[in-house]
C-alpha cells in the first residue's frame, strides 16, 4: 500500500473515532435530559416492590447520585472497555440482554439487505435490456414507488395475503423461514429504491461513454454489454449508498420486528423506552452509532481500492500537499 493511502486511512480512522465519541456524549446528554425520572418510574413503582434500602443500593450502583459530568465520564470509560452497564428493569447486564436478541435482528437485516440488492439489480438490469415499448419506463418508476411506500404498510399487506389468506406461514411463528423471508421483503423493498436509483443513473451514464458505443458497434447485445462492460463501473457507487443508508436499514428492521412480532432489538428498545431503562437505551443507541460509523469507514477505505479514479485523487492530494509545503519552505528561505 502507498503512503498516500495509509495517510488517508489513518485520517478516516481518526475521524471515525471522534464521531463515535461525540455520538456517545450526545446520546448520554439527550437521554439524561429526557422528561421523567427513571428512579421514580422504575424503582419507586409499587408494582416492582423495591424497598427504600434496595432503591438506595441500586442508585449507588448505577451512579445516579453523582454529578452528570461524573456519570458521563464513568459511563464513557466503561463503554470503551466493553462494559454496557446493568439494566434498571431486570438487573441483568445490558450486554447479555442485547446478545439474546441481536442474532434475530442481524438475520433480518442481512436478509433484508440481500433482498434489496436482488431487487435493485433486477430493476436496473431491466432498464438496460427491456425495450422502451415493452415497459422500460414502468421499470424506471419502480424505485419511486418502492421509496414512497412505508415498510409497515408492505408488512401488513404481506401478512394479510400470505399469512391469513394463503396460509403460507403462521403469524404466531415469526421466526419461521417464510415469516423471516416476508419480513426481509418488507425491509428490502423500500431499501432497494435508493440503490436502484443510483445504479440506474450510473448505468445510463456509462452507457453513453465511448467504450460502450464501440462495444455496440462490434455487435455486442444489451445483455452482454450490461454484464461485461456496464455493471462493474456502475456498481461502485452502490457501496457508498449502502454505507450511508445502513442506519435506515437498521431502523426499518426495528419497525418490521414490531409488525411481524419478532423478538429482537426493536422489542428491547420498546420495553426500554416504556420503562425508561436508561442503560439499555444508551447502549443500543451508542452501538447503532458505532455500526453506522464502522460501515461508512469500511466503505471509505474500500473505495480507493475499488475505483482507480479515487486512488488517483487521493495520491494527487498527497502530492499537492507536499508541493505546497516545499514551495512554502522555499519562499520562507528566500526572504532575507
Amino acid at each position: 500500500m502507498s503512503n498516500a493511502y495509509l495517510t488517508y486511512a489513518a485520517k478516516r480512522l481518526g475521524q471515525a473515532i471522534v464521531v463515535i465519541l461525540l455520538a456517545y456524549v450526545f446520546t448520554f446528554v439527550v437521554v439524561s435530559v429526557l422528561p421523567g425520572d427513571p428512579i421514580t418510574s422504575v424503582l419507586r413503582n409499587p408494582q416492582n416492590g423495591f424497598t427504600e434500602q434496595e432503591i438506595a443500593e441500586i442508585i449507588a450502583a448505577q451512579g445516579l447520585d453523582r454529578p452528570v459530568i461524573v456519570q458521563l465520564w464513568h459511563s464513557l470509560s466503561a463503554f470503551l472497555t466493553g462494559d454496557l452497564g446493568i439494566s434498571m428493569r431486570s438487573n441483568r447486564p445490558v450486554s447479555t440482554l442485547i446478545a439474546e436478541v441481536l442474532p434475530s435482528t442481524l438475520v433480518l437485516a442481512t436478509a433484508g439487505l440481500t433482498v434489496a440488492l436482488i431487487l435493485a439489480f433486477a430493476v436496473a438490469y431491466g432498464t438496460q435490456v427491456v425495450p422502451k415499448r415493452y415497459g422500460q419506463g414502468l421499470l424506471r418508476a419502480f424505485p419511486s414507488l418502492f421509496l414512497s411506500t412505508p415498510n409497515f404498510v408492505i408488512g401488513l399487506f404481506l401478512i394479510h395475503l400470505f399469512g391469513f389468506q394463503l396460509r403460507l406461514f403462521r403469524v404466531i411463528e415469526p421466526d419461521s423461514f417464510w415469516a423471516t423471508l416476508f419480513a426481509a421483503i418488507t425491509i428490502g423493498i423500500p431499501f432497494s429504491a435508493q440503490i436502484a436509483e443510483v445504479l440506474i443513473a450510473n448505468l445510463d451514464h456509462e452507457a453513453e461513454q465511448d467504450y460502450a458505443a464501440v462495444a455496440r458497434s462490434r455487435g455486442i447485445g444489451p445483455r452482454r454489454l450490461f454484464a461485461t462492460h456496464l455493471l462493474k463501473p456502475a456498481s461502485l457507487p452502490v457501496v457508498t449508498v449502502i454505507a450511508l443508508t445502513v442506519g435506515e436499514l437498521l431502523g426499518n428492521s426495528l419497525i418490521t420486528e414490531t409488525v411481524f412480532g419478532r423478538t429482537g432489538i426493536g422489542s428491547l428498545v420498546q420495553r426500554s423506552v416504556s420503562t425508561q431503562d436508561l442503560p439499555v437505551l444508551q447502549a443500543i443507541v451508542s452501538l447503532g452509532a458505532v455500526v453506522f460509523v464502522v460501515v461508512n469507514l469500511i466503505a471509505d477505505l474500500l473505495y480507493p481500492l475499488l475505483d482507480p479514479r479515487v486512488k488517483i485523487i487521493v495520491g494527487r492530494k498527497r502530492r499537492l500537499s507536499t508541493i505546497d509545503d516545499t514551495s512554502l519552505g522555499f519562499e520562507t528561505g528566500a526572504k532575507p
Side-chain angles (χ1 to χ4, degrees), residues 105 108-114 116 151 184 187-188 191 194 242 244-256:
T105 300
L108 182 59
T110 304
L113 177 59
T114 303
N151 66 324
I187 297 175
F191 190 65
Q194 302 177 56
I242 294 175
L244 293 176
T245 55
V246 66
E248 181 181 347
L249 176 66
L250 294 176
N252 288 343
S253 299
L254 304 186
I255 298 174
T256 305

Side-chain angles (χ1 to χ4, degrees), residues 280-312:
V280 177
L281 289 175
Q282 176 76 34
I284 292 176
V285 174
S286 300
L287 290 178
V290 170
V291 171
F292 180 81
V293 172
V294 169
V295 170
N296 280 271
L297 174 63
I298 293 174
D300 288 341
L301 297 182
L302 284 179
Y303 217 89
L305 301 178
L306 298 175
D307 192 345
R309 294 169 295 183
V310 178
K311 186 183 300 184
I312 293 173

Side-chain angles (χ1 to χ4, degrees), residues 207-259:
E208 296 175 354
Q209 302 303 309
D210 293 338
Y211 73 87
V214 172
R216 293 191 193 94
S217 67
R218 293 179 178 178
I220 295 179
R223 292 178 176 81
R224 184 180 174 187
L225 180 66
F226 173 87
T228 60
H229 295 281
L230 303 181
L231 182 58
K232 182 177 179 180
S235 299
L236 292 175
V238 173
V239 177
T240 303
V241 173
I242 294 175
L244 293 176
T245 55
V246 66
E248 181 181 347
L249 176 66
L250 294 176
N252 288 343
S253 299
L254 304 186
I255 298 174
T256 305
E257 285 177 353
T258 303
V259 173

Side-chain angles (χ1 to χ4, degrees), residues 72-274:
L72 172 60
W73 172 254
H74 284 279
S75 179
L76 181 59
S77 302
F79 177 76
L80 294 177
T81 59
D83 182 8
L84 302 180
I86 304 296
S87 169
M88 296 179 61
R89 180 177 181 272
S90 62
N91 200 29
R92 298 175 61 195
V94 176
S95 57
T96 301
L97 297 176
I98 295 178
E100 291 175 351
V101 298
L102 184 60
S104 176
T105 300
L106 289 179
V107 169
L108 182 59
T110 304
L113 177 59
T114 303
V115 171
L117 291 175
I118 293 174
L119 284 176
F121 277 87
V123 172
Y125 175 78
T127 60
Q128 300 301 312
V129 302
V130 174
K132 292 184 178 180
R133 63 179 180 274
Y134 291 140
Q136 184 186 123
L138 180 61
L139 287 174
R140 292 180 179 272
F142 276 0
S144 299
L145 176 63
F146 292 165
L147 191 61
S148 62
T149 307
N151 66 324
F152 69 88
V153 174
I154 299 174
L156 292 176
F157 172 76
L158 293 178
I159 290 174
H160 175 75
L161 177 61
F162 294 99
F164 293 109
Q165 298 296 326
L166 301 180
R167 300 185 182 277
L168 194 58
F169 68 94
R170 302 176 65 186
V171 180
I172 60 175
E173 297 177 354
D175 295 324
S176 64
F177 171 79
W178 288 109
T180 302
L181 176 61
F182 288 115
I185 293 175
T186 301
I187 297 175
I189 288 178
F191 190 65
S192 67
Q194 302 177 56
I195 301 176
E197 287 181 347
V198 173
L199 188 56
I200 292 172
N202 282 276
L203 285 171
D204 292 340
H205 173 75
E206 296 297 331
E208 296 175 354
Q209 302 303 309
D210 293 338
Y211 73 87
V214 172
R216 293 191 193 94
S217 67
R218 293 179 178 178
I220 295 179
R223 292 178 176 81
R224 184 180 174 187
L225 180 66
F226 173 87
T228 60
H229 295 281
L230 303 181
L231 182 58
K232 182 177 179 180
S235 299
L236 292 175
V238 173
V239 177
T240 303
V241 173
I242 294 175
L244 293 176
T245 55
V246 66
E248 181 181 347
L249 176 66
L250 294 176
N252 288 343
S253 299
L254 304 186
I255 298 174
T256 305
E257 285 177 353
T258 303
V259 173
F260 280 81
R262 296 173 63 92
T263 301
I265 296 294
S267 58
L268 182 60
V269 170
Q270 185 179 11
R271 293 197 305 267
S272 301
V273 170
S274 61

Side-chain angles (χ1 to χ4, degrees), residues 8-77:
Y8 168 81
K11 182 179 178 180
R12 287 292 184 268
L13 178 60
Q15 292 174 347
I17 294 175
V18 172
V19 170
I20 291 174
L21 294 178
L22 291 177
Y24 188 89
V25 173
F26 177 78
T27 304
F28 182 89
V29 172
V30 170
V31 172
S32 299
V33 300
L34 283 176
D37 183 6
I39 298 178
T40 302
S41 62
V42 179
L43 301 182
R44 299 191 186 279
N45 189 336
Q47 296 180 354
N48 293 327
F50 289 113
T51 64
E52 288 298 327
Q53 181 179 357
E54 291 173 339
I55 292 175
E57 293 176 354
I58 295 175
I59 292 175
Q62 296 282 354
L64 298 176
D65 55 345
R66 303 172 184 173
V68 175
I69 188 65
V70 177
Q71 295 183 38
L72 172 60
W73 172 254
H74 284 279
S75 179
L76 181 59
S77 302

